Amino acid sequence: MSDHELYCDTCEGVRPFEAPPCADGHGPDCPELACTGCGAALLIATFTFPATRLATGAAHASRHASRRRAA
């Protein structure tokens, strides 16, 4: 079991969370966590995306902002 300190909405504060035994075979990297104080469940959803899309969007926004200042 792995321990994480996260905010618990039910306890209204930062509490230790732990990954319960995982039946899906994730081991300690299981995205399901449980508050050790009240037992509230939390799912950590992770995803990946190409960084080039963000870089292109930031560059476009920067150029657009400089054009507005120049006008």
Side-chain angles (χ1 to χ4, degrees), residues 21-68:
C22 182
D24 296 328
H26 295 120
D29 295 327
C30 184
E32 299 172 15
L33 300 174
C35 175
T36 58
C38 68
L42 180 66
L43 178 66
I44 305 294
T46 59
F47 58 93
T48 60
F49 51 89
T52 56
R53 182 174 178 193
L54 290 177
T56 302
H60 176 73
S62 176
R63 282 191 302 250
H64 186 66
S66 64
R67 285 184 196 155
R68 279 188 276 153

Side-chain angles (χ1 to χ4, degrees), residues 6-22:
L6 301 168
Y7 182 82
C8 177
D9 287 332
T10 306
C11 295
E12 297 181 345
V14 176
R15 300 285 189 254
F17 279 72
E18 62 184 20
C22 182

